[in-house]
Amino acid sequence: MSDGLTLKQIVEAILLASDRPLSLEKIRALLIRDNSSMEAPSLKELRLVLDQLILDYSNRSIELLEVASGWRIQIRQIYAPWVSSLFGERQPRYSKALLEILAIIAYKQPVTRAEIEAIRGVEVNSQITKILFERDWIQIVGRSSNPGHPELLATTRQFLDYFGLRTLDELPQYNDFKNVINVGETMASEDLVATKQARLDFDCNVNEESLDI
Amino acid sequence: MLTVKSELPIAIVQGQHWTQYPKDVYIPENALEISVDEFTGPLDLLLYLIKKQNFDILNIPIVKITAQYMEYIGMMQELNLEPVAEYLAMAALLAEIKSRMLLPNPESNDNEKDPRSRLAEQLYAYNLFQQAAATLDKWPRLERDNFVTKVMPPNKMPLVVLPTVRLEEIVKSIQFLIEKNRRVKHHSVLIGQISVKDRIFAVLQLLTTKLTATFSELLLFDQGRMGVIVTFMAILELVKTKYIELTQDDVYILLKINPDNLDILDMERKDQIK
């Protein structure tokens, strides 16, 4: 880098200014200036720089974290009491019912409303799913082949970002889930891994379709 | 809580003894009862009753639980809380299980399933998801535990805005390339069909690695004139869908990948690796 600027500082500046997580690819694309012949750093170099930043922040109130959509700088959790008072009483609280529905979708996805109802023994409150959709935490990933072709619900990348997770595997794992995953509706005997794979496949299909002319 | 304190036979407030509630204090009738509408459903209520008494989910004393459950349903009615259909359905189910357990079974008991097993299974699963929900609630999340930093960028950002490309420039460049490739055409043998979709992917792929490219860099020599046209169409489509940007640096039109769409490409590539 010219002018005594280091790659680390430039990457830090980009991450500090962004209020959304940035993927490695995106950071790399931002490093290319139109009229310079500068070579973009390799992804490996970028990773090294990010590792250095993590170390730099080790005794500071901020931390660099990788979530589903990429890398972001955030305030460490222990400072939450002070920082949250900055935002007043705005910190959201979620009802028990909402968290239950979210947990079922997260662990059992893709899942239909009927399956959620079978587990909880009550109708799924449409107000709750509306909140989950508005927060961009859940999405419809397709339709079940069951009668009526009900919508299949799954969590989004934003959900993972919000909870500081990279993948669904980082959710606390319960061994017993394997046994109860089919409780309720007669869902095909696919385990969590298979359903997750199906979801990924689906995402890729969507992208391909959107490119069709 | 005040209501709890004033339940003591004699309250002492600033040295003064009270044997009765002050008349101006209003204590609601059901102040100390558990509010029934706190439960998210009949299973939630059942789980509460089971946990409160440390019963085993797999071996619920069904007579006791049914009696307690009905008590709560009664309380709901007293509070004029319309017990919703689901609560009543559960009451019916409990009554059914109870009666089936009380009735002697003439058949051999060996292969007869415990009438409680289906409910137990459901309670077990629901209990697990409730635990997961509670863990999720405690999990560090944005806006409560972690906050995204937002540092203001300097006011005067030296922004280099490249001139936008005019349509005639694009047409001119494509004409030039068609002309150039006409001369190489007779070198090529029979050309197969070239699909726009394939070219779109090829262009995207090249741009993800190179990030910028010129028109001619995207062309494949052996695709000849048809290749130029199809590639051109692919580029137009990508510009339209904002996957790429066109900028002009001097006389050459430069294709630039739009960083906003890198995530999608990123995923595609991950898929390919699999």
Side-chain angles (χ1 to χ4, degrees), chain A residues 16-19 23 25 28-29 32 34 72-75 77 80 83 87 91-92 94 96 99-100 118-123 135 157 162-163 165 172 174 176-177 200 212-213, chain B residues 40-44 86 122 124 126 128-133 135-137 139-149 151 162 196-197 209 211 256 262-263 267 269 274:
Chain A
L16 275 174
S18 172
D19 55 359
S23 70
E25 294 279 348
R28 185 163 164 263
I32 306 264
D34 287 322
R72 74 164 176 238
I73 295 174
Q74 63 179 31
I75 311 284
Q77 196 185 344
V83 179
F87 300 111
Q91 61 167 265
Y94 296 103
K96 198 172 152 192
L99 288 160
E100 281 175 17
I119 292 171
R120 299 186 59 239
V122 268
E123 221 173 280
R135 291 245 57 180
R157 246 198 237 205
Y162 195 81
F163 287 92
L165 302 165
Y174 296 85
D176 288 351
F177 268 135
L200 265 183
D212 266 337
I213 301 168
Chain B
T40 61
L43 283 173
D44 191 29
E86 287 127 352
Q122 204 179 6
Y124 185 76
Y126 186 41
L128 217 56
F129 280 111
Q130 278 199 334
Q131 281 174 37
T135 315
L136 196 64
D137 194 24
W139 203 260
R141 64 166 99 124
L142 284 187
E143 298 175 354
R144 186 189 67 185
D145 308 301
N146 290 118
F147 300 87
V148 172
T149 57
V151 178
L162 290 167
V196 182
K197 201 178 158 187
T209 41
L211 298 168
K256 192 168 174 253
L262 270 170
D263 298 347
M267 285 191 51
R269 190 177 306 160
K274 268 176 204 147

Coordinates of all heavy atoms in Angstrom, one line a residue, chain A residues 16-19 23 25 28-29 32 34 72-75 77 80 83 87 91-92 94 96 99-100 118-123 135 157 162-163 165 172 174 176-177 200 212-213, chain B residues 40-44 86 122 124 126 128-133 135-137 139-149 151 162 196-197 209 211 256 262-263 267 269 274:
Chain A
L16 N -15.3 -0.2 10.5 CA -15.8 0.8 11.5 C -17.0 1.6 10.9 O -18.0 1.9 11.5 CB -14.7 1.7 11.9 CG -13.8 1.2 13.1 CD1 -12.7 2.2 13.3 CD2 -14.6 1.0 14.4
A17 N -16.8 2.0 9.6 CA -17.8 2.8 9.0 C -19.1 2.1 8.6 O -20.2 2.7 8.5 CB -17.3 3.5 7.8
S18 N -19.0 0.8 8.5 CA -20.2 0.0 8.1 C -21.0 -0.4 9.3 O -20.5 -0.8 10.3 CB -19.7 -1.3 7.3 OG -20.8 -2.1 7.1
D19 N -22.3 -0.3 9.1 CA -23.2 -0.8 10.2 C -23.8 -2.2 9.8 O -24.7 -2.6 10.5 CB -24.3 0.2 10.5 CG -25.1 0.6 9.3 OD1 -24.8 0.1 8.2 OD2 -26.0 1.4 9.4
S23 N -18.7 -9.2 4.0 CA -18.1 -10.5 3.7 C -16.6 -10.2 3.2 O -16.3 -9.1 2.8 CB -18.8 -11.2 2.6 OG -18.7 -10.5 1.4
E25 N -15.3 -11.2 0.5 CA -15.3 -10.8 -0.9 C -15.7 -9.3 -1.1 O -15.1 -8.6 -1.9 CB -16.4 -11.6 -1.6 CG -16.1 -13.1 -1.7 CD -15.1 -13.4 -2.8 OE1 -14.9 -12.5 -3.7 OE2 -14.6 -14.6 -2.8
R28 N -12.8 -7.1 -0.1 CA -11.8 -7.2 -1.2 C -12.2 -6.3 -2.4 O -11.4 -5.6 -2.9 CB -11.7 -8.6 -1.6 CG -10.6 -8.8 -2.6 CD -10.2 -10.3 -2.7 NE -9.5 -10.6 -3.9 CZ -10.0 -11.1 -5.0 NH1 -11.3 -11.3 -5.1 NH2 -9.3 -11.3 -6.1
A29 N -13.5 -6.4 -2.7 CA -14.0 -5.6 -3.8 C -13.9 -4.1 -3.5 O -13.6 -3.3 -4.4 CB -15.5 -5.9 -4.1
I32 N -10.5 -2.3 -4.2 CA -10.1 -2.0 -5.6 C -10.5 -0.6 -5.9 O -11.7 -0.3 -5.9 CB -10.7 -3.0 -6.6 CG1 -10.4 -4.4 -6.1 CG2 -10.3 -2.7 -8.0 CD1 -9.2 -5.0 -6.8
D34 N -10.9 2.4 -8.7 CA -11.1 2.3 -10.1 C -9.8 2.6 -10.9 O -9.5 1.9 -11.9 CB -12.2 3.3 -10.5 CG -13.6 2.7 -10.1 OD1 -13.7 1.5 -10.2 OD2 -14.4 3.5 -9.7
R72 N -18.1 -8.1 11.4 CA -18.6 -6.8 11.9 C -17.8 -6.5 13.2 O -17.4 -7.4 13.9 CB -20.1 -6.8 12.1 CG -20.5 -7.6 13.3 CD -21.9 -7.2 13.7 NE -22.4 -8.1 14.8 CZ -23.4 -8.9 14.8 NH1 -24.2 -9.0 13.7 NH2 -23.7 -9.7 15.8
I73 N -17.7 -5.2 13.5 CA -17.1 -4.7 14.7 C -18.3 -4.4 15.7 O -19.3 -3.7 15.2 CB -16.3 -3.5 14.5 CG1 -15.0 -3.9 13.7 CG2 -15.8 -2.9 15.9 CD1 -14.2 -2.7 13.3
Q74 N -18.3 -4.9 16.8 CA -19.4 -4.6 17.8 C -18.8 -4.3 19.2 O -17.7 -4.6 19.5 CB -20.3 -5.8 17.8 CG -19.7 -7.1 18.3 CD -20.7 -8.3 18.4 OE1 -21.6 -8.4 17.6 NE2 -20.5 -9.2 19.4
I75 N -19.7 -3.7 20.0 CA -19.4 -3.4 21.4 C -19.5 -4.7 22.1 O -20.4 -5.5 21.9 CB -20.4 -2.4 22.0 CG1 -20.5 -1.2 21.0 CG2 -19.9 -2.0 23.4 CD1 -19.4 -0.2 21.0
Q77 N -20.2 -7.5 25.0 CA -21.4 -7.6 25.8 C -21.4 -7.0 27.2 O -22.4 -6.5 27.7 CB -21.8 -9.1 25.9 CG -23.2 -9.4 26.4 CD -23.4 -10.9 26.6 OE1 -22.6 -11.7 26.1 NE2 -24.5 -11.2 27.2
A80 N -22.9 -3.7 27.8 CA -24.3 -3.5 27.4 C -25.1 -2.6 28.4 O -25.8 -1.7 27.9 CB -25.0 -4.8 27.2
V83 N -24.2 1.0 27.5 CA -24.5 1.4 26.1 C -26.0 1.4 25.9 O -26.6 2.3 25.2 CB -23.8 0.5 25.1 CG1 -24.2 0.8 23.7 CG2 -22.3 0.5 25.3
F87 N -29.5 4.2 24.4 CA -30.7 4.1 23.5 C -32.0 4.1 24.3 O -33.0 3.9 23.7 CB -30.6 2.8 22.7 CG -29.3 2.7 21.9 CD1 -28.3 1.8 22.2 CD2 -29.2 3.5 20.8 CE1 -27.2 1.7 21.5 CE2 -28.0 3.5 20.0 CZ -27.0 2.6 20.4
Q91 N -34.7 -1.3 23.9 CA -34.2 -2.6 23.7 C -35.4 -3.6 23.6 O -36.3 -3.6 24.5 CB -33.2 -3.1 24.7 CG -33.7 -3.1 26.1 CD -32.7 -3.9 27.0 OE1 -32.8 -5.0 27.2 NE2 -31.6 -3.2 27.4
P92 N -35.5 -4.3 22.6 CA -36.7 -5.2 22.4 C -36.7 -6.4 23.3 O -35.7 -7.0 23.6 CB -36.5 -5.6 20.9 CG -35.1 -5.5 20.6 CD -34.5 -4.5 21.5
Y94 N -38.9 -10.0 23.8 CA -39.8 -10.9 23.0 C -40.6 -11.8 23.9 O -40.1 -12.3 24.9 CB -39.0 -11.7 22.0 CG -38.4 -10.7 21.0 CD1 -37.0 -10.4 21.0 CD2 -39.2 -10.1 20.0 CE1 -36.5 -9.5 20.2 CE2 -38.6 -9.2 19.1 CZ -37.3 -8.9 19.2 OH -36.8 -8.0 18.3
K96 N -42.7 -15.1 25.4 CA -42.4 -16.5 25.5 C -42.9 -17.2 24.2 O -42.1 -18.1 23.7 CB -43.1 -17.0 26.7 CG -42.6 -18.3 27.2 CD -43.3 -18.6 28.6 CE -43.4 -20.1 28.8 NZ -44.2 -20.5 29.9
L99 N -40.6 -16.6 21.2 CA -39.3 -17.3 21.3 C -39.5 -18.8 21.1 O -38.6 -19.4 20.5 CB -38.7 -17.0 22.7 CG -38.1 -15.6 22.9 CD1 -38.0 -15.3 24.3 CD2 -36.8 -15.5 22.2
E100 N -40.6 -19.3 21.6 CA -40.8 -20.8 21.3 C -41.0 -21.0 19.8 O -40.4 -22.0 19.3 CB -42.1 -21.2 22.0 CG -42.0 -21.4 23.5 CD -43.3 -21.7 24.2 OE1 -44.3 -22.1 23.5 OE2 -43.4 -21.6 25.4
A118 N -48.4 -28.5 16.2 CA -48.4 -29.9 16.8 C -47.5 -29.9 18.1 O -47.8 -30.6 19.0 CB -48.0 -30.9 15.8
I119 N -46.4 -29.2 18.0 CA -45.5 -29.2 19.1 C -46.1 -28.4 20.3 O -46.0 -28.8 21.5 CB -44.1 -28.7 18.7 CG1 -43.5 -29.7 17.8 CG2 -43.2 -28.5 20.0 CD1 -42.2 -29.2 17.2
R120 N -46.6 -27.2 20.0 CA -47.0 -26.3 21.0 C -48.4 -26.5 21.5 O -48.8 -26.0 22.5 CB -46.8 -24.9 20.6 CG -45.3 -24.5 20.3 CD -45.2 -23.1 20.0 NE -45.6 -22.3 21.1 CZ -46.5 -21.3 21.0 NH1 -47.1 -21.1 19.9 NH2 -46.8 -20.6 22.1
G121 N -49.2 -27.2 20.7 CA -50.6 -27.5 21.1 C -51.5 -26.3 21.0 O -52.7 -26.3 21.5
V122 N -51.0 -25.2 20.4 CA -51.9 -24.0 20.1 C -51.6 -23.5 18.7 O -50.6 -23.8 18.1 CB -51.6 -22.8 21.0 CG1 -52.5 -22.9 22.3 CG2 -50.1 -22.8 21.4
E123 N -52.6 -22.8 18.2 CA -52.5 -22.2 16.9 C -51.3 -21.2 16.9 O -51.0 -20.6 17.9 CB -53.8 -21.4 16.6 CG -54.3 -21.6 15.2 CD -55.6 -20.9 15.1 OE1 -56.6 -21.5 15.5 OE2 -55.7 -19.8 14.6
R135 N -38.9 -8.7 11.1 CA -37.5 -8.6 11.6 C -36.6 -9.3 10.7 O -35.4 -9.2 10.9 CB -37.4 -9.2 13.0 CG -38.2 -8.5 14.1 CD -37.2 -7.9 15.1 NE -36.2 -7.0 14.6 CZ -35.3 -6.4 15.3 NH1 -35.2 -6.6 16.6 NH2 -34.4 -5.7 14.7
R157 N -30.4 -15.5 7.2 CA -29.0 -15.1 7.6 C -29.1 -13.9 8.6 O -28.3 -13.8 9.5 CB -28.4 -14.5 6.3 CG -27.2 -15.3 5.9 CD -26.4 -14.4 5.0 NE -26.3 -15.1 3.7 CZ -25.3 -14.8 2.9 NH1 -24.4 -13.9 3.2 NH2 -25.2 -15.4 1.8
Y162 N -28.1 -11.5 13.9 CA -28.6 -10.9 15.1 C -28.1 -11.6 16.3 O -27.9 -10.9 17.3 CB -30.2 -10.9 15.0 CG -30.8 -10.0 16.0 CD1 -30.9 -8.6 15.7 CD2 -31.3 -10.4 17.2 CE1 -31.6 -7.7 16.6 CE2 -31.9 -9.6 18.1 CZ -32.0 -8.2 17.8 OH -32.7 -7.4 18.7
F163 N -28.1 -12.9 16.3 CA -27.6 -13.6 17.4 C -26.1 -13.9 17.4 O -25.6 -14.8 18.1 CB -28.4 -14.9 17.6 CG -29.8 -14.7 18.0 CD1 -30.9 -14.5 17.1 CD2 -30.1 -14.6 19.4 CE1 -32.2 -14.2 17.6 CE2 -31.4 -14.3 19.8 CZ -32.4 -14.1 18.9
L165 N -24.2 -15.4 15.2 CA -23.8 -16.8 14.8 C -23.4 -16.8 13.4 O -23.9 -16.1 12.6 CB -25.0 -17.7 15.0 CG -25.7 -17.8 16.4 CD1 -27.0 -18.5 16.3 CD2 -24.8 -18.6 17.3
P172 N -26.9 -23.7 20.4 CA -26.7 -24.8 21.4 C -27.3 -26.1 20.9 O -28.5 -26.0 20.5 CB -27.3 -24.2 22.7 CG -28.1 -23.0 22.3 CD -27.5 -22.5 21.0
Y174 N -28.9 -29.8 21.3 CA -29.5 -30.7 22.3 C -29.5 -32.1 21.6 O -30.1 -32.3 20.6 CB -30.9 -30.3 22.6 CG -31.0 -28.9 23.2 CD1 -31.0 -27.7 22.5 CD2 -31.1 -28.8 24.6 CE1 -31.1 -26.5 23.1 CE2 -31.2 -27.6 25.2 CZ -31.2 -26.4 24.5 OH -31.3 -25.2 25.1
D176 N -31.1 -34.6 22.4 CA -32.5 -35.2 22.4 C -33.3 -34.7 21.2 O -34.3 -35.3 20.8 CB -33.2 -34.8 23.7 CG -32.7 -35.6 24.9 OD1 -31.9 -36.5 24.6 OD2 -33.1 -35.3 26.0
F177 N -32.9 -33.6 20.6 CA -33.6 -33.1 19.4 C -33.8 -34.1 18.3 O -34.8 -34.2 17.7 CB -33.0 -31.9 18.9 CG -33.6 -30.6 19.5 CD1 -32.7 -29.6 19.9 CD2 -34.9 -30.5 19.7 CE1 -33.2 -28.5 20.5 CE2 -35.4 -29.4 20.3 CZ -34.6 -28.3 20.7
L200 N -30.1 -25.0 1.9 CA -29.0 -24.4 1.1 C -29.3 -24.6 -0.4 O -29.1 -23.7 -1.1 CB -27.7 -25.1 1.5 CG -26.9 -24.4 2.6 CD1 -25.6 -25.1 2.9 CD2 -26.6 -22.9 2.2
D212 N -32.3 -16.0 -14.7 CA -32.9 -16.4 -15.9 C -33.5 -15.3 -16.7 O -34.1 -14.4 -16.2 CB -34.1 -17.4 -15.6 CG -33.6 -18.9 -15.7 OD1 -32.5 -19.1 -16.3 OD2 -34.2 -19.7 -15.0
I213 N -33.4 -15.4 -18.0 CA -34.0 -14.3 -18.8 C -35.3 -14.8 -19.4 O -35.4 -15.9 -20.0 CB -33.0 -13.9 -20.0 CG1 -31.7 -13.5 -19.4 CG2 -33.6 -12.8 -20.8 CD1 -30.6 -13.4 -20.3
Chain B
T40 N -48.9 -20.0 27.5 CA -49.0 -19.8 26.0 C -49.9 -20.9 25.4 O -50.1 -20.8 24.2 CB -47.6 -19.9 25.4 OG1 -47.1 -21.2 25.6 CG2 -46.7 -18.8 25.9
G41 N -50.4 -21.8 26.2 CA -51.2 -22.8 25.6 C -51.5 -23.9 26.6 O -50.9 -23.9 27.7
P42 N -52.3 -24.9 26.3 CA -52.6 -26.0 27.2 C -51.4 -26.8 27.6 O -51.3 -27.2 28.8 CB -53.7 -26.8 26.5 CG -53.5 -26.4 25.1 CD -53.1 -25.0 25.0
L43 N -50.5 -27.0 26.6 CA -49.3 -27.8 26.9 C -48.4 -27.1 27.9 O -47.8 -27.7 28.8 CB -48.6 -28.1 25.7 CG -49.2 -29.3 24.8 CD1 -48.4 -29.4 23.5 CD2 -49.1 -30.6 25.5
D44 N -48.4 -25.7 27.7 CA -47.5 -24.9 28.6 C -48.1 -25.0 30.0 O -47.3 -25.2 31.0 CB -47.6 -23.5 28.1 CG -46.6 -22.6 28.8 OD1 -45.5 -23.1 29.2 OD2 -46.8 -21.4 28.9
E86 N -58.6 -24.7 22.5 CA -57.4 -25.6 22.7 C -57.3 -26.2 24.2 O -57.0 -27.3 24.4 CB -56.1 -24.9 22.4 CG -56.0 -24.7 20.9 CD -55.7 -23.3 20.5 OE1 -55.8 -22.4 21.3 OE2 -55.4 -23.1 19.3
Q122 N -45.3 -35.7 23.4 CA -45.5 -34.3 23.0 C -45.0 -33.3 24.0 O -44.3 -32.4 23.7 CB -47.0 -34.1 22.8 CG -47.4 -32.9 21.8 CD -48.9 -32.8 21.7 OE1 -49.7 -33.5 22.3 NE2 -49.2 -31.9 20.8
Y124 N -42.7 -34.0 26.2 CA -41.2 -34.1 26.2 C -40.6 -33.2 25.2 O -39.7 -32.4 25.4 CB -40.9 -35.6 26.0 CG -39.4 -35.8 26.1 CD1 -38.8 -35.9 27.4 CD2 -38.6 -36.0 25.0 CE1 -37.4 -36.1 27.5 CE2 -37.2 -36.3 25.1 CZ -36.7 -36.3 26.4 OH -35.3 -36.5 26.5
Y126 N -42.0 -30.6 23.6 CA -42.3 -29.2 23.8 C -41.4 -28.7 24.9 O -40.9 -27.6 24.8 CB -43.8 -29.1 24.2 CG -44.3 -27.7 24.4 CD1 -43.9 -26.7 23.5 CD2 -45.1 -27.3 25.4 CE1 -44.3 -25.4 23.6 CE2 -45.5 -26.0 25.6 CZ -45.1 -25.0 24.7 OH -45.5 -23.8 24.8
L128 N -38.5 -29.6 25.6 CA -37.1 -29.4 25.0 C -37.1 -28.1 24.2 O -36.1 -27.3 24.4 CB -36.8 -30.6 24.1 CG -35.4 -31.1 24.0 CD1 -34.9 -31.5 25.4 CD2 -35.4 -32.3 23.1
F129 N -38.1 -27.8 23.5 CA -38.1 -26.6 22.7 C -38.3 -25.4 23.6 O -37.8 -24.3 23.3 CB -39.3 -26.6 21.6 CG -38.9 -27.4 20.4 CD1 -39.5 -28.6 20.1 CD2 -37.9 -26.9 19.5 CE1 -39.1 -29.4 19.0 CE2 -37.5 -27.7 18.4 CZ -38.1 -28.9 18.2
Q130 N -39.0 -25.6 24.7 CA -39.1 -24.4 25.7 C -37.7 -24.1 26.2 O -37.4 -23.0 26.4 CB -40.1 -24.8 26.8 CG -41.5 -24.6 26.4 CD -42.4 -24.5 27.6 OE1 -42.1 -25.0 28.6 NE2 -43.5 -23.8 27.5
Q131 N -37.0 -25.2 26.5 CA -35.6 -24.9 27.0 C -34.8 -24.2 26.0 O -34.0 -23.3 26.3 CB -34.9 -26.3 27.3 CG -35.3 -26.9 28.6 CD -34.7 -28.3 28.8 OE1 -33.5 -28.5 28.3 NE2 -35.4 -29.2 29.3
A132 N -34.9 -24.7 24.7 CA -34.2 -24.0 23.6 C -34.6 -22.6 23.5 O -33.7 -21.7 23.3 CB -34.4 -24.8 22.3
A133 N -35.9 -22.3 23.6 CA -36.3 -20.9 23.5 C -35.8 -20.1 24.7 O -35.4 -18.9 24.4 CB -37.9 -20.9 23.6
T135 N -32.9 -20.6 26.2 CA -31.5 -20.4 25.9 C -31.3 -19.3 24.9 O -30.5 -18.4 25.0 CB -30.9 -21.7 25.4 OG1 -31.3 -22.8 26.3 CG2 -29.4 -21.6 25.4
L136 N -32.2 -19.4 23.9 CA -32.1 -18.4 22.8 C -32.4 -17.0 23.4 O -31.7 -16.0 22.9 CB -33.2 -18.7 21.7 CG -33.1 -18.1 20.4 CD1 -31.8 -18.5 19.7 CD2 -34.2 -18.4 19.5
D137 N -33.3 -16.9 24.3 CA -33.6 -15.6 24.9 C -32.4 -15.0 25.7 O -32.1 -13.8 25.7 CB -34.8 -15.8 25.9 CG -35.4 -14.4 26.2 OD1 -35.2 -13.4 25.5 OD2 -36.0 -14.3 27.3
W139 N -29.3 -15.8 24.9 CA -28.1 -15.7 24.0 C -27.8 -14.3 23.6 O -28.7 -13.5 23.4 CB -28.5 -16.5 22.7 CG -27.4 -16.9 21.9 CD1 -26.8 -16.3 20.8 CD2 -26.6 -18.1 22.1 NE1 -25.8 -17.0 20.3 CE2 -25.6 -18.1 21.1 CE3 -26.6 -19.1 23.1 CZ2 -24.6 -19.1 21.1 CZ3 -25.7 -20.1 23.0 CH2 -24.7 -20.1 22.0
P140 N -26.5 -13.9 23.6 CA -26.2 -12.5 23.3 C -26.7 -12.1 22.0 O -26.5 -12.8 21.0 CB -24.7 -12.5 23.3 CG -24.2 -13.9 23.3 CD -25.3 -14.7 24.0
R141 N -27.5 -11.0 21.9 CA -28.1 -10.6 20.7 C -27.8 -9.1 20.5 O -27.6 -8.4 21.5 CB -29.6 -10.9 20.7 CG -30.4 -10.2 21.7 CD -31.8 -10.3 21.4 NE -32.5 -11.3 22.2 CZ -33.6 -11.1 22.9 NH1 -34.1 -9.9 23.0 NH2 -34.2 -12.0 23.6
L142 N -28.0 -8.7 19.3 CA -27.8 -7.3 18.9 C -28.9 -6.5 19.6 O -29.9 -7.0 20.0 CB -27.9 -7.1 17.4 CG -26.6 -7.5 16.6 CD1 -26.8 -7.0 15.2 CD2 -25.4 -6.8 17.1
E143 N -28.6 -5.2 19.8 CA -29.6 -4.2 20.4 C -29.8 -4.4 21.9 O -30.5 -3.6 22.5 CB -31.0 -4.3 19.7 CG -30.9 -4.0 18.2 CD -32.2 -4.2 17.5 OE1 -33.2 -4.7 18.1 OE2 -32.3 -3.8 16.3
R144 N -29.3 -5.5 22.4 CA -29.5 -5.7 23.9 C -28.1 -6.0 24.5 O -27.8 -5.4 25.5 CB -30.4 -6.9 24.1 CG -30.7 -7.0 25.6 CD -31.5 -8.3 26.0 NE -30.7 -9.5 25.7 CZ -31.1 -10.7 25.9 NH1 -32.4 -10.9 26.2 NH2 -30.3 -11.8 25.6
D145 N -27.4 -6.9 23.9 CA -26.1 -7.3 24.5 C -24.9 -6.8 23.7 O -23.9 -6.4 24.3 CB -26.0 -8.8 24.6 CG -27.2 -9.4 25.3 OD1 -27.4 -9.0 26.5 OD2 -27.9 -10.2 24.7
N146 N -25.1 -6.8 22.4 CA -24.0 -6.3 21.5 C -24.5 -5.2 20.7 O -25.7 -5.2 20.3 CB -23.5 -7.4 20.7 CG -22.7 -8.5 21.4 OD1 -23.1 -9.6 21.5 ND2 -21.6 -8.0 22.1
F147 N -23.7 -4.2 20.4 CA -24.1 -3.1 19.6 C -23.2 -2.9 18.4 O -21.9 -3.0 18.6 CB -24.2 -1.8 20.4 CG -25.2 -2.0 21.6 CD1 -24.8 -2.5 22.8 CD2 -26.5 -1.6 21.4 CE1 -25.7 -2.7 23.8 CE2 -27.4 -1.8 22.5 CZ -27.0 -2.3 23.7
V148 N -23.7 -2.7 17.3 CA -22.9 -2.5 16.1 C -22.3 -1.1 16.2 O -22.9 -0.1 16.5 CB -23.7 -2.7 14.8 CG1 -22.9 -2.3 13.6 CG2 -24.2 -4.1 14.7
T149 N -21.0 -1.0 15.9 CA -20.3 0.3 15.9 C -20.7 1.0 14.6 O -20.9 0.4 13.6 CB -18.8 0.1 15.9 OG1 -18.4 -0.7 14.8 CG2 -18.3 -0.5 17.2
V151 N -19.1 4.4 13.1 CA -18.2 5.5 13.1 C -18.5 6.4 11.9 O -18.6 5.9 10.8 CB -16.7 5.1 13.1 CG1 -15.8 6.3 13.1 CG2 -16.5 4.2 14.3
L162 N -16.7 8.2 -11.9 CA -16.3 8.0 -13.3 C -17.5 8.4 -14.2 O -18.6 8.2 -13.8 CB -15.9 6.6 -13.6 CG -14.6 6.1 -13.0 CD1 -14.4 4.6 -13.0 CD2 -13.4 6.8 -13.6
V196 N -27.3 -17.5 -23.5 CA -27.1 -16.2 -22.8 C -26.8 -16.6 -21.3 O -25.9 -16.0 -20.7 CB -28.3 -15.3 -22.9 CG1 -28.1 -14.0 -22.2 CG2 -28.6 -15.0 -24.3
K197 N -27.5 -17.5 -20.8 CA -27.4 -17.9 -19.4 C -26.0 -18.4 -19.1 O -25.4 -17.9 -18.1 CB -28.4 -19.0 -19.1 CG -28.7 -19.1 -17.6 CD -29.7 -20.2 -17.4 CE -29.6 -20.7 -15.9 NZ -30.4 -21.8 -15.7
T209 N -13.5 -13.1 -9.8 CA -12.1 -13.2 -9.5 C -11.3 -12.0 -9.9 O -10.4 -11.6 -9.2 CB -11.5 -14.5 -10.2 OG1 -12.1 -14.5 -11.6 CG2 -11.8 -15.7 -9.5
L211 N -12.7 -8.9 -10.6 CA -13.4 -7.7 -10.1 C -13.7 -6.7 -11.2 O -14.7 -6.1 -11.3 CB -12.7 -7.1 -8.9 CG -12.6 -8.0 -7.7 CD1 -11.7 -7.4 -6.7 CD2 -14.0 -8.2 -7.1
K256 N -17.5 -3.5 -14.1 CA -17.1 -3.6 -12.7 C -18.2 -4.4 -12.0 O -19.4 -4.1 -12.2 CB -17.0 -2.2 -12.1 CG -16.3 -2.2 -10.8 CD -15.9 -0.7 -10.5 CE -15.3 -0.7 -9.1 NZ -16.2 -0.1 -8.1
L262 N -22.1 -9.2 -4.3 CA -21.0 -10.2 -4.1 C -21.5 -11.4 -3.2 O -21.0 -12.5 -3.4 CB -19.8 -9.6 -3.5 CG -18.8 -9.1 -4.5 CD1 -17.7 -8.3 -3.9 CD2 -18.2 -10.2 -5.3
D263 N -22.3 -11.1 -2.3 CA -22.8 -12.2 -1.4 C -23.4 -13.3 -2.2 O -23.2 -14.5 -1.9 CB -23.9 -11.6 -0.4 CG -23.3 -10.5 0.4 OD1 -22.1 -10.4 0.4 OD2 -24.1 -9.9 1.1
M267 N -22.1 -17.3 -2.4 CA -22.9 -18.5 -2.1 C -22.8 -19.5 -3.3 O -22.7 -20.7 -3.0 CB -24.3 -18.1 -1.8 CG -24.5 -17.5 -0.5 SD -26.2 -17.4 0.0 CE -26.7 -19.0 -0.3
R269 N -20.5 -19.8 -5.3 CA -19.2 -20.5 -5.3 C -19.1 -21.6 -4.3 O -18.6 -22.7 -4.5 CB -18.1 -19.5 -5.1 CG -16.7 -20.1 -5.4 CD -15.6 -19.1 -5.2 NE -15.7 -17.9 -6.1 CZ -15.1 -16.8 -5.8 NH1 -14.3 -16.8 -4.8 NH2 -15.2 -15.8 -6.5
K274 N -19.0 -27.6 -3.2 CA -19.6 -28.8 -2.7 C -19.8 -29.7 -3.9 O -19.7 -30.9 -3.8 CB -21.0 -28.5 -2.2 CG -20.9 -28.3 -0.6 CD -22.2 -27.9 -0.1 CE -22.0 -27.1 1.2 NZ -23.0 -26.1 1.4

